[in-house]
């Protein structure tokens, strides 16, 4: 195997641990806090989680722990999209297990949750783990998007747990996967199994967080990777002074990534989906907002700028959301008839008598190459593939049109040239930043302590993240504490509540104070590439979002 | 101004200099080598460059230099597209000038060569220079693409040189800009001016190099930035195992960037424009080559991979090159008639009676959204804007079609999902790698020594770049030595010859030996982000291309 110079030296990086975890494992005691409640729908959730509801918060402290040296058999799952640091969660879990008892075994379930239902595993040895320390990716055991939902899948999972004689399963995943972990913990207990289930908070989107989970892992590295690129484009356009760069950033539901990248780079415009939804901002209004900045800057001779766009934006613009729903319904109802229409003009005509006039008018205003994306590439359920819609090009097309009308009215006298970008996959598998490497290793190590202490239905938790790692506070949060009921496929389901950008939270409010200046002037910041060595202020700082949320 | 943590610490980086430049300026002597000749068309070039042709190579060595402490007035120009390190060339030039004589003045010409013709300047002070040390971008004085070509422009340049009483002009640019520098040097001498002209070899494309210029600056940083992203995508797809990523990389004429990124990341496919041209490979053959890898990998269960595509590829595919020329001619001839045709189907019909059948058939096989790009967005000269053609999507579209026919024949049984990317602007303004920071600073410092030594028509040269910086060899190469005559706009013009990928050179031959393995197996390498601190093998290594070309 050909390994890069960076990978070789990163193998030797020792992730930093909270002080309470850094000594002998026998000295890690579990301090139990108050019993907990779900965020809402408490009675229903108590009924669903008869055996696991409302457990206490736990914190690790210095003290005696008799149980921790037992021999354990644990299986670990990587679930869903990649996030930098996943390998370090596994390394921390492995090192903890082996420190506890060298005879303990860590199984990796292959290819995500289906590895558990299908009993596809590999034993993770020191040799294997050492090849993946402090590296990006989920390739050590692979990931997958299977959800454990059907009675058969739960039964199969139990079967695997029995066959392998598992003390615990660790699920490394986002909100959905950890909801699954909670259900699995309950199912095991309800069916007399002693296999515990522990979750770890993963997602670059940053939307799995709450009072006790300060951030999900991977958010730090992904945002820094995107910010490197955005900063480079800022510097490029500040040099060439001729392009507006429209940059779409990964993040379907929440705009945390766009917001963090805005703090890191200070672009002229950063759209926030949550604000668009809260204000029912129309597409036209968004285009106006962008054009206002372009026109003002052109009047100062600055025909260049940077626009950040969260990936999921179109789904939050009321009339586009409605259009997408109508297209899904209309085309599904007459699938064959629609399939027989081959070109875009005829498709528009086909739609004209089938969707409401307001929506038809929107279709007509869309640039044709984008309108086509609403109609082509439908997913297996017949729905519009929103992730394939090039929102950045949609906005550019509409901005161009608006600017030419402003030009006719002599309101705009500049020159508009553009480039579009989408940054997403580039950031999911970067080498984890020191922050993510440390945080993930600590999460994995904490997962071990939760298991060794006999707990189930907990999310591994490491807090106080804006302090130095030695001062971090490790423990566990009961999964049911983060849950509520939400409508899914026609019925109410228990789910972990997604953390969206809060419009009255410190990060958004800080952004809102600065954005008018940014939209008019050139305030770009150039963060550069993630550094793994060097001064601490360069290589060990957490995200600005985290600092704004937690620093006093 | 809000400055990133990295930028702050990079201000304190001291670029490494070759030993002969690192002591007192009075100890830098100029060693003169043999007289030189142009690479071809020698008689004609001797006629064009009556005063500057055939000067000797010069090398800086330890020794006495009487002239070096003169007070000098120098103007510097950033010309063309940005490349990481431009600010360090200026910093090296500035520091050299001030070490020679503190009363010396450095003017920056604003916005590229037009700053010289229009006499738009700023005086560069220590305070200004200090804000730009070791940073990316050309924003210190801006860049531009104006070419000094007309008699008026030459006269204006001379006028400015006289007004500012300039001892020298330094042109930081690529092959075209340095051809300009050579013409300017000759013009000044021919018109009795003592203003010298010195060039510095810039371009991320890496196509300004030869026996004496080992690499152009910016190539190192740009390739490492792209390789970071490609490596991240390699890791991502090796984890998710479900996408083929088609990645277009900047580089219109030469494929050096794609080749270097291939060495850094070992993708499944890397297309090389020079090879496509040499073999007259058709689009269909290229698609076949990609499909062969996809089909083979699918048969091993690997429905994922990485394809690298040089930006200029379409111009090297014979039938597409012909098609583009025919479209340019045909549409230019009947501009108004074509403009009256509004949709793609009608445009195709319009073309059907006007372009040869072979070309018309190619238009028909292009995916419509790509075919449209050949017809829309024409440049001011009425030509197809090749840089707007999404070659990555063109290839994906044709690969999809071919795979579905292979599926019908049961030759292909896999599942093809894809993502497309274009990496270009992201890499042009990154913080220069230590290599580029050192190399650029040395080039700027050498430019000062060339000026102080009274030389004109030279390109600043720093060689032996695969050794440690102290062993680098600094000097100057006569610009006429790198020239030949080429057909430009209907007449023969003196130009610096572009260095394309040599199919019998060490880099391409090394690649050719490995690519079959890469196309079938997963051999990805993950270089990670550029590091500015840490072990030397991580933060100070030059490109693999350079090592293959020069290491014994």
């Amino acid at each position: 195997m050909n390994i890069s110079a960076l990978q070789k030296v990163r193998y030797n990086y020792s992730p930093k641990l909270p002080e309470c975890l850094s000594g002998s494992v026998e000295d890690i005691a579990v301090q139990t806090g108050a019993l907990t409640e779900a965020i809402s729908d408490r009675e229903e959730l108590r009924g669903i989680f008869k055996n696991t509801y409302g457990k206490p918060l736990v914190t690790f402290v210095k003290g005696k722990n008799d149980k921790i040296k037992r021999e354990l058999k644990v299986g670990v799952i990587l679930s869903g999209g990649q996030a930098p640091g996943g390998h370090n969660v596994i390394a921390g879990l492995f090192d903890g297990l082996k420190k506890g008892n060298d005879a303990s075994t860590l199984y990796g379930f292959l290819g995500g949750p289906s590895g558990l239902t299908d009993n596809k595993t590999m034993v993770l040895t020191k040799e294997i783990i050492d090849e993946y320390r402090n590296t990006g990716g989920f390739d050590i055991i692979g990931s997958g998007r299977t959800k454990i939902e059907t009675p058969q899948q739960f039964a199969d999972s139990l079967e695997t747990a029995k066959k392998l004689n598992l003390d615990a399963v660790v699920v490394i995943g986002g909100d959905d996967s950890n909801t699954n972990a909670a259900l699995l913990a309950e199912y095991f207990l309800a069916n007399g199994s002693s296999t515990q289930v522990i979750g770890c908070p993963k997602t670059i989107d940053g939307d799995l967080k709450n009072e006790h989970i300060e951030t999900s892992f991977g958010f730090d590295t992904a945002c820094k990777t995107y910010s490197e690129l955005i900063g480079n484009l800022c510097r490029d356009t500040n040099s060439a002074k001729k392009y507006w760069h429209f940059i779409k950033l990964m993040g379907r539901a929440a705009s945390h990534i766009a917001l963090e990248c805005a703090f890191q780079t200070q672009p002229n415009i950063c759209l926030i989906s949550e604000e668009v939804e809260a204000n029912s901002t129309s597409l036209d209004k968004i285009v106006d907002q962008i054009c206002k900045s372009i026109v003002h800057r052109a009047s100062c001779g600055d025909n260049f700028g940077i626009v950040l766009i969260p990936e999921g934006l179109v789904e939050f613009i009321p009339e586009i959301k409605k259009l997408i729903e109508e297209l899904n319904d209309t085309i599904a109802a007459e699938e064959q008839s629609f399939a027989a229409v081959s070109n875009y003009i005829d498709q528009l005509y086909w739609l004209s008598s089938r969707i409401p006039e307001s929506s038809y008018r929107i279709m007509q205003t869309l640039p044709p190459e984008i309108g086509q994306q609403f109609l082509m590439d439908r997913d297996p359920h017949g729905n519009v593939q929103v992730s394939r819609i090039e929102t950045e090009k949609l906005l550019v097309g509409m901005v161009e049109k608006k600017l030419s009308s402003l030009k006719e009215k002599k309101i705009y006298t500049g020159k508009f040239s553009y480039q579009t970008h989408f940054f997403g996959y580039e950031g999911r598998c970067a080498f984890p930043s020191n922050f993510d490497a440390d945080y993930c290793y600590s999460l994995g190590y904490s997962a071990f302590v939760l298991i060794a202490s006999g707990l189930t239905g907990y999310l591994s938790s490491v807090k106080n993240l804006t302090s130095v790692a030695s001062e971090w506070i490790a423990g566990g949060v009961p999964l049911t504490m983060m849950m509520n009921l939400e409508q899914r496929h026609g019925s109410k389901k228990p789910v972990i509540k997604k953390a969206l950008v809060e419009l009255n939270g410190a990060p958004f409010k800080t952004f809102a104070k600065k954005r008018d200046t940014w939209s008019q002037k050139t305030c770009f910041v150039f963060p550069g590439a993630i550094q793994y060595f060097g001064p601490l202020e360069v290589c060990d700082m957490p995200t600005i979002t985290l600092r704004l949320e937690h620093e006093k």
Side-chain angles (χ1 to χ4, degrees), chain A:
Chain A
M1 192 156 63
N2 202 335
I3 289 170
S4 75
L6 181 65
Q7 183 160 338
K8 272 181 209 154
V9 301
R10 284 304 276 175
Y11 283 157
N12 301 323
Y13 178 74
S14 294
K16 301 183 272 293
L17 276 172
E19 208 201 331
C20 68
L21 299 182
S22 58
S24 161
V25 289
E26 289 161 282
D27 296 335
I28 309 170
V30 176
Q31 191 178 64
T32 302
L35 294 176
T36 59
E37 292 276 8
I39 44 178
S40 64
D41 312 297
R42 292 173 180 176
E43 276 322 297
E44 294 91 329
L45 287 166
R46 194 186 298 275
I48 295 168
F49 295 97
K50 289 198 175 65
N51 300 280
T52 50
Y53 184 86
K55 300 247 181 100
L57 285 164
V58 300
T59 306
F60 304 141
V61 293
K62 290 269 163 204
K64 280 283 147 256
N65 193 325
D66 307 332
K67 296 188 198 165
I68 213 156
K69 300 205 81 171
R70 284 180 299 142
E71 182 184 336
L72 295 168
K73 285 189 169 43
V74 175
V76 64
I77 298 171
L78 289 166
S79 182
Q82 286 86 254
H87 290 157
N88 268 31
V89 178
I90 297 177
L93 174 61
F94 178 87
D95 288 353
L97 277 170
K98 293 292 180 179
K99 262 192 154 182
N101 188 319
D102 201 45
S104 290
T105 308
L106 181 60
Y107 294 99
F109 288 111
L110 303 179
S114 63
L116 174 61
T117 54
D118 304 349
N119 193 7
K120 290 198 175 153
T121 65
M122 68 189 283
V123 173
L124 293 169
T125 61
K126 182 175 179 305
E127 289 64 39
I128 296 170
I129 296 285
D130 285 350
E131 271 184 37
Y132 290 90
R133 287 180 194 274
N134 309 302
T135 61
F138 277 8
D139 39 343
I140 184 170
I141 51 174
S143 183
R145 293 189 182 270
T146 305
K147 282 186 191 172
I148 298 174
E149 288 177 317
T150 66
Q152 188 60 50
Q153 286 173 315
F154 279 102
D156 290 345
S157 301
L158 182 57
E159 183 74 17
T160 299
K162 277 183 188 162
K163 270 189 191 149
L164 296 177
N165 203 11
L166 287 185
D167 294 285
V169 172
V170 175
V171 177
I172 302 170
D175 49 346
D176 275 354
S177 307
N178 278 299
T179 295
N180 247 260
L183 290 166
L184 204 59
E186 176 64 28
Y187 181 86
F188 283 164
L189 273 186
N191 288 274
S193 162
S194 63
T195 305
Q196 304 154 233
V197 182
I198 299 296
C200 284
K202 172 227 71 167
T203 163
I204 63 163
D205 293 353
D207 55 10
L208 172 50
K209 64 177 169 184
N210 53 54
E211 197 188 340
H212 300 285
I213 301 296
E214 295 183 359
T215 189
S216 54
F217 79 76
F219 177 68
D220 186 273
T221 308
C223 288
K224 285 172 181 167
T225 302
Y226 303 142
S227 295
E228 170 199 356
L229 303 177
I230 298 163
N232 288 358
L233 292 175
C234 287
R235 191 122 217 177
D236 199 67
T237 202
N238 193 42
S239 301
K241 298 190 189 296
K242 68 176 182 185
Y243 288 122
W244 275 85
H245 291 272
F246 282 62
I247 306 165
K248 189 170 71 173
L249 293 168
M250 207 169 239
R252 275 287 285 281
S255 301
H256 298 293
I257 290 178
L259 187 56
E260 172 64 22
C261 291
F263 288 128
Q264 297 272 356
T265 63
Q266 304 190 169
N268 303 100
I269 302 277
C270 174
L271 302 170
I272 301 294
S273 297
E274 289 86 343
E275 187 186 25
V276 167
E277 185 171 51
N279 298 341
S280 295
T281 315
S282 67
L283 182 56
D284 209 47
K285 278 268 163 59
I286 294 171
V287 171
D288 276 349
Q289 184 195 342
I290 299 172
C291 287
K292 199 177 149 196
S293 171
I294 295 174
V295 168
H296 177 89
R297 288 176 60 77
S299 75
C300 308
D302 293 337
N303 288 299
F304 63 93
I306 300 283
V307 181
L308 302 188
I309 305 154
E311 185 186 7
L313 182 72
V314 287
E315 293 175 283
F316 292 86
I317 301 172
E319 74 271 24
I320 304 283
K321 190 180 172 186
K322 192 164 155 272
L323 170 67
I324 291 172
E325 287 165 1
E326 285 164 3
L327 289 176
N328 287 344
D329 294 347
T330 307
I331 297 175
E334 295 182 70
E335 211 172 327
Q336 289 189 337
S337 163
F338 180 75
V341 188
S342 64
N343 78 66
Y344 184 58
I345 294 171
D346 295 341
Q347 287 173 334
L348 275 187
Y349 180 76
W350 185 90
L351 286 170
S352 64
S353 59
R354 288 172 170 91
I355 59 174
E357 211 197 316
S358 58
S359 289
Y360 179 66
R361 248 184 284 124
I362 292 159
M363 275 306 288
Q364 282 186 307
T365 62
L366 296 177
E369 61 280 17
I370 304 297
Q372 285 167 32
Q373 294 171 355
F374 280 77
L375 302 180
M376 300 188 325
D377 288 335
R378 313 187 71 73
D379 75 11
H381 310 288
N383 291 333
V384 173
Q385 283 202 53
V386 178
S387 67
R388 289 270 186 207
I389 296 174
E390 295 176 296
T391 316
E392 66 283 19
K393 290 192 180 164
L394 166 64
L395 289 175
V396 158
M398 302 199 65
V399 162
E400 268 191 315
K401 215 194 250 179
K402 174 87 62 176
L403 287 176
S404 67
S405 98
L406 291 173
K407 202 155 213 170
E408 276 169 27
K409 293 180 200 151
K410 316 264 185 210
I411 294 169
Y412 173 60
T413 52
K415 190 177 170 310
F416 180 70
S417 299
Y418 67 88
Q419 297 289 338
T420 59
H421 312 263
F422 171 43
F423 298 141
Y425 298 92
E426 296 84 348
R428 307 196 312 175
C429 285
F431 285 87
S433 62
N434 288 353
F435 174 87
D436 269 329
D438 298 346
Y439 179 46
C440 288
Y441 190 82
S442 300
L443 284 172
Y445 206 97
S446 289
F448 152 70
V449 181
L450 291 169
I451 294 164
S453 308
L455 297 165
T456 189
Y458 276 79
L459 192 63
S460 177
S461 144
V462 177
K463 300 201 291 187
N464 199 29
L465 297 170
T466 51
S467 298
V468 293
S470 61
E471 292 172 17
W472 290 355
I473 297 161
V477 182
L479 283 163
T480 57
M481 186 185 187
M482 302 180 287
M483 294 186 125
N484 63 181
L485 294 180
E486 290 178 23
Q487 202 71 21
R488 295 286 160 93
H489 304 293
S491 64
K492 284 212 158 187
K493 291 274 162 74
V495 294
I496 293 175
K497 200 177 173 190
K498 248 190 213 311
L500 303 179
V501 170
E502 284 180 28
L503 300 186
N504 56 5
F508 182 81
K509 278 160 78 179
T510 305
F511 164 70
K513 252 184 247 166
K514 297 185 172 179
R515 63 175 157 185
D516 286 344
T517 310
W518 296 354
S519 78
Q520 301 197 341
K521 301 197 173 147
T522 300
C523 306
F524 303 149
V525 175
F526 320 116
I530 293 185
Q531 296 301 298
Y532 303 96
F533 313 95
L536 290 187
E537 72 271 22
V538 174
C539 66
D540 271 33
M541 287 302 272
T543 60
I544 295 172
T545 302
L546 194 69
R547 285 184 262 160
L548 288 171
E549 282 172 341
H550 293 281
E551 271 181 359
K552 281 99 212 168

